[in-house]
Amino acid sequence: MLASLSSQAVEWEANWIWEKTRFTDPNTWVAFRKNVSLDHVPANTKAYISADTKYWLWINGELVVFEGSYTGGPSPVKASPRVDYFPIASNKYYDEVDISDYLQEGKNTIAALVWYYGDNGQKGTHISSNKGGFIFQADVGGIKILTNNTWKVKTHPAFAKKVTKKSPYRIAAWNVDYDARLAMGDWTEQGWVQQVFDDSTWQSAHGHLIPPRAPFYKLFPSEIPILHDYGLSNCSNYTQDQFPFVSDGKTIRCKLDFNKNFTPYFDIEANANEVIHINSNMRLNTIETTYTTRQGRQQFESYSWSNGRIINFKIPKGVIVHGLKYRWTGVGQTPGHFSSDDPWLNRIWQMAENTLYICARDNFMDTPDRERGLWIGDVADQASYLFYSMDQPGRDLLKKAIKVTLAFSDTETGIFAGLAPGRFRELPAQSLQFIDQGIWHYYFNTGDIETLKFAYPYVHRYLTLWGLRENGLATFRSGAWKWTDWGPQDTIDYDVIQNALYYSALKAAKNMALALGDETHLSFYDSRISSIKRAYQQQYWQDGFFSSQPDKYKDDRANAIAILFGLAEPSQYQQIVDNVLIPNHYSSPHFEWMVYNAMAIAGRHRDALVRMKTRYAKQVNNPALSTLAEYLPSGGTENHAWNAPSTVLSQFIAGIAPTSVAWEEYEIKPNMAHMKRVNQLVPSVKGDIDFMIERSDTQIDITLVSPSDTTAILGIPKRYFNISSIVFNDESIWQAGRMQEQMLGIEFIGQDKDFINFKIAPGQWKIRSFK
């Protein structure tokens, strides 16, 4: 056993409950109710809740949780050798929910709808307990509310169990087939979630198994909060004043303002036995809804989420439509922002953020369409711009990806799979990338030492699977799949790329060891780092670019990461850019963002942006699109996780990056290229960093809001004109190349060929530089 997960101490008294049955049919929806009387309601009353697989919770008819219970982990029940397509038994997560605002003195009704998938999906996103279950526990001022046989239960008759999954059958969730003629007053004031509902004919729940017991095993606190619910919204082309209208039987294309994860909702008036069909415009989407009407006015929301830019409602002719809406949900929010006087760059940054957010839910996933899989190479790409876009729940979702991936590693070999937790398939290129750009990047941006302690033993053991060849380079490891990129396969210089990825992982592991104060393996890292650095130059440098076979490979991916990971010397940068990164466009989005970063490190910011505009033109110039696709110039899924072109804009154009753990110190070194104005908001772990720079031929204006407990290293760019004076908050303190006055919170720390540098304390700053 390499490392262990710790669980929060909840003294479980509640039972897992379900209907009394020997076997739970897949795709079963079960309703639960419990009435409880309270003398008073204390503040901060917490409920602890879990389900296999998903639950929706109401208290006194008010929605409290929309789609609770995260799939995917947190850990196997016992150490076990891993075999692909053979998921091993898993412990479960529970949610912590503050229910104080929903309770009242006197009678209270708690209602929950629980959806049991009974399917793992083909991409390892879920490990089923093979039995439906729901558990709820709360202590309200000494009155304990516990799931047990005093709860009432009924399989919801309106949800059909026998639903055909749409090819390619990769996700665990199901389509919805709902028959409103069998409903229990859903979405009405007399419905089964309301206090007035009579549940006297319902069965008593079958209470069994107080945790930890099979098949649910131990319960661990969820790494992430409940999904953020943006509420029901009108489609952009069907505003409230356009209702009601009578359907003409043609498909109603309900447009969202951009591509989102949604659940569809409608309000109609119809005769019984009409059939409504709902899907999205996404070609590879596999989730659809079928609804059979009852007589009269009725509302419905389909809880199996989908994604798209357009919701297609196929409503029979003659049905009166009173409303068409959707509910947008996601993990946390995206307060990060980039803008400039180049609208094209603004648009691709926002499209990238939209893509990141739509691929963040139960886990960071490759795409919400056909797979929803936690591919760790995609996660590493997402991590590059996560910290410029998402708030704390986004950071927590990355922590979940790290812990789940490593917890479900193979205990005998030390291999961790590229697709956790239910699948086991090693992709060495993704695993190595994940070590540096996923695990180390997470720690460096958050300072979460506990997660680093958990991860490090797995990281070290995995890196020992490589040997060194006589020439000083690492041996090549194919794993289960040597896949490295979806660009043209005959252009991929596999050996050069894997050595660079292994080198970066070694450096990351050494940094982890130093952060943890563990010197045990430092000699291992140092000897291999120096060996590969030396051999990389000797074996691969071809007088202008890196290649294992110069007559065959001139790979933009291999040469970009040589710069990015420090294997190339600065004296080689310009040759690499001119010989490879400008002319050769082989990489898919998975490596493309690293090419831009490498070009920026080489000081070729303009060329990086020119390449970006060339490669992403087809997508960004299409006004219908709002997310970025699987391939370049387009193709595959319309929203694929590994698109990270925005990283170069935030990190190298706005120029903002942490220089110490958890953003205690960070730098701002703007490189505006052709732009006159750049604004970046970074939702760092220390708080929001809000930076704006605007220049003319004679003046540079900077505003900065820097959060508490940070130090900013601000570089005022020298390349636009000779700076004669600098004013901080209307006080002139720098003239003629040196400090003239001292100012509290400002320290001049020197200048180089590109910047005049200052150390700046937290607060609000307005800085002006004059020619």
Side-chain angles (χ1 to χ4, degrees):
M1 185 95 174
L2 288 175
S4 62
L5 292 163
S6 60
S7 61
Q8 179 176 314
V10 173
E11 185 101 15
W12 288 100
E13 300 177 64
N15 282 253
W16 285 96
I17 59 172
W18 202 250
E19 280 195 309
K20 188 172 180 61
T21 178
R22 293 183 61 189
F23 176 78
T24 305
D25 291 324
N27 192 34
T28 295
W29 297 77
V30 175
F32 295 92
R33 282 175 53 89
K34 171 69 176 178
N35 292 318
V36 60
S37 183
L38 299 173
D39 295 330
H40 71 287
V41 180
N44 300 316
T45 296
K46 298 291 195 301
Y48 305 101
I49 315 166
S50 187
D52 194 339
T53 308
K54 297 283 185 176
Y55 71 90
W56 287 256
L57 180 73
W58 294 262
I59 296 180
N60 299 323
E62 189 173 354
L63 181 65
V64 180
V65 175
F66 187 91
E67 194 187 307
S69 203
Y70 287 92
T71 62
S75 58
V77 172
K78 60 181 180 180
S80 175
R82 297 303 312 276
V83 178
D84 199 19
Y85 285 106
F86 189 80
I88 57 178
S90 174
N91 297 307
K92 292 194 67 62
Y93 288 117
Y94 67 85
D95 298 327
E96 180 181 307
V97 181
D98 190 335
I99 60 173
S100 311
D101 293 342
Y102 303 94
L103 298 170
Q104 60 190 23
E105 292 183 4
K107 181 182 177 182
N108 291 265
T109 299
I110 301 170
L113 178 65
V114 180
W115 184 17
Y116 169 69
Y117 286 175
D119 191 336
N120 296 323
Q122 291 188 356
K123 292 300 176 180
T125 56
H126 175 54
I127 298 177
S128 177
S129 303
N130 294 317
K131 188 172 182 63
F134 176 65
I135 191 167
F136 179 104
Q137 179 166 315
D139 188 330
V140 187
I143 296 177
K144 294 182 179 180
I145 307 174
L146 310 172
T147 44
N148 51 35
N149 59 12
T150 66
W151 286 57
K152 292 298 189 75
V153 61
K154 182 179 178 66
T155 295
H156 200 303
F159 288 95
K161 295 180 182 179
K162 301 297 182 181
V163 174
T164 301
K165 284 198 173 186
K166 184 178 178 181
S167 178
Y169 316 115
R170 289 175 175 172
I171 64 175
W174 298 77
N175 294 336
V176 169
D177 187 343
Y178 185 93
D179 189 340
R181 297 168 300 180
L182 303 174
M184 299 188 295
D186 303 72
W187 295 280
T188 72
E189 293 183 357
Q190 291 75 42
W192 68 272
V193 304
Q194 306 292 341
Q195 280 196 357
V196 297
F197 184 82
D198 181 6
D199 60 17
S200 59
T201 62
W202 288 24
Q203 298 177 18
S204 295
H206 178 55
H208 62 107
L209 306 177
I210 296 175
R213 291 282 299 278
F216 309 106
Y217 302 101
K218 293 181 181 179
L219 283 165
F220 291 82
S222 176
E223 304 287 355
I224 23 195
I226 296 296
L227 292 174
H228 185 81
D229 180 358
Y230 293 86
L232 290 170
S233 301
N234 286 301
C235 300
S236 58
N237 61 331
Y238 281 92
T239 56
Q240 197 60 43
D241 58 3
Q242 293 174 267
F243 299 100
F245 64 84
V246 179
S247 172
D248 61 6
K250 297 178 181 177
T251 298
I252 302 169
R253 291 167 55 82
C254 190
K255 296 181 180 179
L256 284 60
D257 47 350
F258 58 92
N259 195 0
K260 297 175 177 177
N261 293 331
F262 66 82
T263 49
Y265 169 93
F266 60 73
D267 179 356
I268 61 170
E269 193 171 349
N271 295 320
N273 307 319
E274 302 276 15
V275 177
I276 294 171
H277 187 74
I278 309 170
N279 62 15
S280 90
N281 71 298
M282 291 293 137
R283 178 176 60 88
L284 296 171
N285 169 60
T286 59
I287 296 296
E288 300 180 349
T289 295
T290 301
Y291 177 91
T292 304
T293 62
R294 59 179 174 81
Q295 185 70 34
R297 184 82 175 260
Q298 54 207 281
Q299 297 80 35
F300 173 74
E301 182 175 2
S302 182
Y303 290 147
S304 188
W305 68 270
S306 185
N307 84 94
R309 294 179 282 109
I310 298 170
I311 308 173
N312 296 315
F313 290 91
K314 182 68 172 176
I315 299 177
K317 185 176 181 179
V319 171
I320 301 172
V321 182
H322 290 276
L324 298 172
K325 296 184 179 182
Y326 68 92
R327 187 187 305 271
W328 178 29
T329 51
V331 173
Q333 299 183 73
T334 54
H337 175 75
F338 172 90
S339 65
S340 70
D341 55 333
D342 186 330
W344 196 98
L345 295 178
N346 301 344
R347 177 160 161 73
I348 195 172
W349 197 96
Q350 189 58 56
M351 291 175 76
E353 183 173 83
N354 294 345
T355 307
L356 174 71
Y357 193 61
I358 206 169
C359 292
R361 201 174 176 89
D362 277 39
N363 46 267
F364 275 122
M365 56 186 137
D366 60 340
T367 173
D369 284 336
R370 67 172 190 267
E371 291 189 0
R372 304 182 180 179
L374 198 165
W375 294 94
I376 59 176
D378 297 36
V379 173
D381 297 334
Q382 289 167 308
S384 74
Y385 65 120
L386 159 66
F387 297 100
Y388 293 104
S389 287
M390 295 188 74
D391 57 7
Q392 185 60 42
R395 298 189 281 268
D396 291 338
L397 194 64
L398 177 54
K399 174 171 67 174
K400 178 178 185 277
I402 292 167
K403 294 173 74 171
V404 168
T405 296
L406 299 179
F408 282 89
S409 66
D410 184 77
T411 54
E412 292 188 353
T413 65
I415 294 169
F416 47 86
L419 195 60
R423 292 285 306 277
F424 187 74
R425 194 180 191 190
E426 182 198 7
L427 284 75
Q430 290 204 7
S431 296
L432 293 172
Q433 183 193 3
F434 186 61
I435 289 171
D436 181 11
Q437 296 176 341
I439 300 170
W440 174 251
H441 193 62
Y442 168 77
Y443 169 71
F444 195 74
N445 278 271
T446 65
D448 180 357
I449 196 71
E450 292 304 315
T451 298
L452 192 68
K453 286 179 183 177
F454 172 77
Y456 176 69
Y458 296 95
V459 168
H460 173 72
R461 186 176 181 192
Y462 185 67
L463 293 179
T464 63
L465 300 180
W466 273 261
L468 286 183
R469 290 176 265 180
E470 289 185 5
N471 64 8
L473 292 170
T475 54
F476 189 83
R477 185 173 179 82
S478 294
W481 188 15
K482 74 171 186 177
W483 181 93
T484 298
D485 187 62
W486 276 136
Q489 297 301 289
D490 60 353
T491 67
I492 300 175
D493 202 344
Y494 284 98
D495 199 52
V496 177
I497 292 174
Q498 190 170 114
N499 265 277
L501 291 171
Y502 185 65
Y503 177 81
S504 73
L506 288 168
K507 290 174 63 179
K510 178 182 177 180
N511 287 332
M512 294 178 199
L514 292 172
L516 294 169
D518 183 350
E519 300 181 359
T520 310
H521 309 122
L522 291 184
S523 61
F524 171 82
Y525 301 132
D526 285 337
S527 63
R528 293 197 168 199
I529 288 168
S530 61
S531 175
I532 294 172
K533 172 88 173 186
R534 181 174 57 256
Y536 207 89
Q537 288 283 340
Q538 292 172 349
Q539 301 296 321
Y540 295 144
W541 182 247
Q542 307 295 339
D543 193 24
F545 60 97
F546 289 98
S547 177
S548 63
Q549 298 181 50
D551 58 336
K552 183 178 181 180
Y553 297 124
K554 218 171 190 178
D555 187 354
D556 51 351
R557 293 153 293 218
N559 282 271
I561 62 176
I563 294 176
L564 197 62
F565 299 152
L567 283 160
E569 298 296 334
S571 61
Q572 297 168 329
Y573 289 174
Q574 304 313 312
Q575 295 177 77
I576 292 172
V577 173
D578 290 330
N579 293 335
V580 184
L581 303 188
I582 289 179
N584 295 347
H585 295 181
Y586 302 139
S587 64
S588 78
H590 179 47
F591 271 88
E592 184 68 11
W593 67 274
M594 290 186 259
V595 177
Y596 306 149
N597 287 16
M599 294 174 81
I601 290 170
R604 304 289 286 273
H605 302 82
R606 287 176 181 267
D607 291 320
L609 299 184
V610 168
R611 175 171 170 141
M612 179 194 291
K613 288 188 174 184
T614 300
R615 301 224 68 199
Y616 277 96
K618 186 174 182 180
Q619 296 176 62
V620 178
N621 295 344
N622 184 346
L625 301 180
S626 53
T627 49
L628 299 172
E630 186 172 7
Y631 305 122
L632 288 170
S634 63
T637 58
E638 192 178 295
N639 34 48
H640 213 84
W642 56 25
N643 282 276
S646 61
T647 304
V648 71
L649 298 175
S650 300
Q651 186 175 349
F652 294 101
I653 298 301
I656 304 177
T659 52
S660 68
V661 173
W663 291 81
E664 288 187 4
E665 182 180 279
Y666 65 94
E667 68 177 17
I668 307 174
K669 298 291 182 69
N671 294 275
M672 302 178 73
H674 60 281
M675 288 164 278
K676 301 291 186 181
R677 177 184 59 82
V678 171
N679 173 238
Q680 176 75 57
L681 188 145
V682 181
S684 84
V685 71
K686 287 288 196 294
D688 290 348
I689 299 166
D690 197 351
F691 170 75
M692 190 276 291
I693 180 169
E694 192 166 10
R695 66 181 175 92
S696 67
D697 293 338
T698 59
Q699 185 171 321
I700 298 173
D701 286 291
I702 293 173
T703 59
L704 172 64
V705 179
S706 190
S708 300
D709 302 319
T710 64
T711 299
I713 306 300
L714 172 65
I716 298 176
K718 297 166 58 176
R719 67 194 62 181
Y720 307 114
F721 52 78
N722 292 324
I723 296 174
S724 63
S725 64
I726 303 175
V727 175
F728 284 79
N729 287 354
D730 298 324
E731 185 175 339
S732 179
I733 66 170
W734 194 92
Q735 289 183 0
R738 58 181 179 272
M739 292 287 284
Q740 301 296 315
E741 300 287 342
Q742 296 300 316
M743 183 176 184
L744 186 64
I746 301 294
E747 179 185 350
F748 173 61
I749 55 174
Q751 55 182 308
D752 52 38
K753 65 183 181 63
D754 296 317
F755 299 100
I756 303 170
N757 300 303
F758 295 88
K759 185 179 289 188
I760 300 181
Q764 298 185 25
W765 299 96
K766 183 170 68 175
I767 304 117
R768 285 183 171 173
S769 306
F770 299 95
K771 187 173 181 178

